[in-house]
């Protein structure tokens, strides 16, 4: 039986440490002035006082690696397009919807899977090595924390680098499925546009009509990314495990998340109930600003890189 906190390293891209994000990938980072010295000093003090830091990360961390988020003003997917992510109920009930989803995902996969950790991911990994981070919970499905070497990690919404069978529960690597797509669709092609936070691209319906989707090799069941689609719920055992790690912690640091989705916000409510202090580093307002003793506005990599885990 797979425990909910286990992380399966099934992505295929090579591990590579990144420093700062290249200028070309900052298009998805919202406009933000540099963080003032006083705010950085307050965050340094907050981190220094903690010995068992609980970190929650969101899409604002991965925008600096070139992966767009959904909600950022001006640059998020919702602001730039009328596209909306796949709903769980639609994926389950409609073979055509699954065909469209997987065709888009197939086209977007090479670009999505090639993204690398940025300086913020590297900082948090070093903090773990030095004993500062007790546990890290990410709402992202891009595997960038795993690529950076984070071990004390829960991928709250799963990981797009893994595929699950809805019939027998078999977990497999998304890269292996890409090879099966290629074998089944040797003549099929479509031009990739911009990639969404969950890895797919926009294609017209008539482009996907002939795209063939394989079934589970073990039982013939329906294959789905091992991610929590909109409208679905996070596994209860995973949620309880995260609550247990939070109870062991002495401070909470939110990095790059607006916390608009309840699956992450619930842990801020739990921190308030436990009287655990909270700090938030994010560009723009969050759902939990009123629960934080400190709110810092700034780019994650830029700010975290000057904070020492003493």
């Amino acid at each position: 039986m797979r425990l909910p906190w286990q992380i399966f390293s099934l992505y295929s891209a090579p591990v590579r440490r990144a420093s700062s994000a290249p200028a070309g990938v900052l298009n998805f980072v919202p406009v933000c002035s540099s963080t003032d010295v006083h705010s950085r000093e307050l965050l340094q003090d907050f981190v220094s006082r903690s010995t068992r830091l609980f970190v929650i990360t969101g899409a604002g961390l991965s925008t600096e690696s070139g992966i767009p988020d959904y909600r950022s003003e001006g640059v998020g997917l919702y602001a730039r397009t009328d596209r909306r992510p796949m709903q769980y109920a639609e994926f389950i009930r409609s073979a055509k919807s699954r065909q469209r989803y997987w065709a888009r995902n197939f086209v977007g996969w090479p670009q999505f899977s090639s993204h690398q950790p940025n300086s913020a991911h590297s900082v948090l990994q070093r903090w773990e090595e030095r004993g500062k981070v007790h546990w890290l919970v990410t709402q992202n499905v891009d595997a960038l924390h795993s690529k950076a070497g984070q071990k004390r990690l829960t991928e709250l919404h799963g990981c797009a680098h893994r595929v699950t069978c809805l019939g027998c529960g078999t977990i497999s690597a998304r890269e292996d499925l890409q090879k099966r797509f290629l074998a089944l669709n040797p003549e099929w092609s479509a031009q990739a546009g911009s990639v969404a936070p969950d890895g797919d691209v926009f294609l017209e319906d008539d482009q996907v009509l002939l795209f063939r989707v394989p079934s589970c090799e073990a039982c013939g069941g329906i294959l789905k990314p091992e991610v929590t689609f909109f409208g679905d719920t996070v596994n209860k055992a995973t949620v309880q495990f995260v609550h247990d790690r939070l109870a062991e912690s002495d401070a909470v640091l939110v990095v790059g998340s607006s916390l608009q989705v309840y699956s992450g916000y619930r842990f801020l409510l739990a921190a308030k109930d436990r009287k655990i202090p909270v700090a938030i580093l994010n560009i723009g307002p969050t759902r939990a600003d009123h629960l934080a003793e400190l709110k810092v506005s700034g780019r994650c990599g830029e700010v975290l890189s000057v904070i020492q885990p003493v």
Side-chain angles (χ1 to χ4, degrees):
M1 177 179 179
R2 185 169 64 91
L3 298 177
W5 60 91
Q6 289 180 312
I7 300 302
F8 287 76
S9 298
L10 294 179
Y11 56 82
S12 63
V15 174
R16 183 176 69 194
R17 306 288 183 191
S19 53
S20 299
V25 305
L26 293 179
N27 296 333
F28 299 123
V29 181
V31 174
C32 179
S33 58
S34 295
T35 305
D36 62 273
V37 174
H38 181 59
S39 293
R40 292 200 300 267
E41 290 175 344
L42 290 175
L43 184 58
Q44 175 67 74
D45 180 65
F46 181 89
V47 172
S48 298
R49 284 187 278 119
S50 173
T51 60
R52 300 183 306 280
L53 186 64
F54 182 94
V55 180
I56 300 176
T57 68
L61 189 74
S62 294
T63 55
E64 295 176 40
S65 288
I67 299 176
D69 65 5
Y70 288 111
R71 298 177 177 84
S72 286
E73 183 177 352
V75 294
L77 189 72
Y78 293 165
R80 293 182 291 108
T81 75
D82 60 358
R83 293 170 57 190
R84 293 297 181 265
M86 172 64 71
Q87 297 288 317
Y88 176 75
E90 181 183 0
F91 186 92
I92 295 300
R93 71 169 178 258
S94 171
K96 286 188 176 181
S97 294
R98 293 193 294 273
Q99 179 190 45
R100 183 174 68 251
Y101 175 87
W102 279 122
R104 293 177 175 183
N105 191 274
F106 166 75
V107 174
W109 178 251
Q111 180 181 341
F112 180 78
S113 61
S114 69
H115 288 293
Q116 294 297 321
N118 59 58
S119 58
H121 294 97
S122 299
V123 167
L124 292 170
Q125 189 273 334
R126 290 197 298 271
W127 287 9
E128 179 190 275
E129 284 185 342
R130 298 181 185 183
K132 174 62 65 174
V133 173
H134 176 63
W135 206 263
L136 188 148
V137 178
T138 185
Q139 300 170 99
N140 300 333
V141 299
D142 50 34
L144 293 187
H145 282 297
S146 292
K147 288 182 179 183
Q150 202 85 33
K151 303 298 183 187
R152 302 181 66 82
L153 170 68
T154 295
E155 294 169 321
L156 189 64
H157 296 155
C159 181
H161 288 252
R162 300 190 295 269
V163 177
T164 183
C165 171
L166 296 180
C168 65
T170 296
I171 302 294
S172 57
R174 174 61 183 82
E175 189 62 29
D176 291 343
L177 181 60
Q178 190 74 357
K179 296 172 184 176
R180 296 184 66 197
F181 281 138
L182 287 167
L184 277 176
N185 301 278
E187 305 298 325
W188 189 90
S189 65
Q191 185 66 37
S194 60
V195 180
D198 56 2
D200 76 342
V201 298
F202 180 75
L203 299 175
E204 297 293 344
D205 287 345
D206 59 357
Q207 292 180 278
V208 307
L209 289 177
L210 299 179
F211 187 77
R212 299 177 63 190
V213 179
S215 300
C216 173
E217 291 183 301
C219 75
I222 294 172
L223 296 177
K224 173 185 171 293
E226 198 196 26
V227 302
T228 303
F229 282 170
F230 281 72
D232 195 6
T233 57
V234 177
N235 179 276
K236 290 182 179 179
T238 300
V239 173
Q240 184 57 55
F241 177 82
V242 174
H243 275 298
D244 292 343
R245 302 292 76 73
L246 175 63
E248 298 165 352
S249 305
D250 61 5
V252 173
L253 175 62
V254 177
V255 182
S257 176
S258 64
L259 297 166
Q260 291 302 313
V261 179
Y262 180 75
S263 60
Y265 178 65
R266 75 177 97 202
F267 300 115
L268 277 297
L269 297 175
K272 178 185 178 182
D273 290 342
R274 292 181 175 275
K275 296 182 171 53
I276 300 174
V278 173
I280 298 175
L281 168 59
N282 190 61
I283 299 175
T286 82
R287 188 178 180 181
D289 284 354
H290 66 291
L291 302 175
E293 71 171 44
L294 174 63
K295 171 67 185 300
V296 177
S297 179
R299 287 182 173 141
C300 301
E302 180 182 287
V303 175
L304 291 183
S305 294
V306 300
I307 304 299
Q308 298 299 316
V310 294

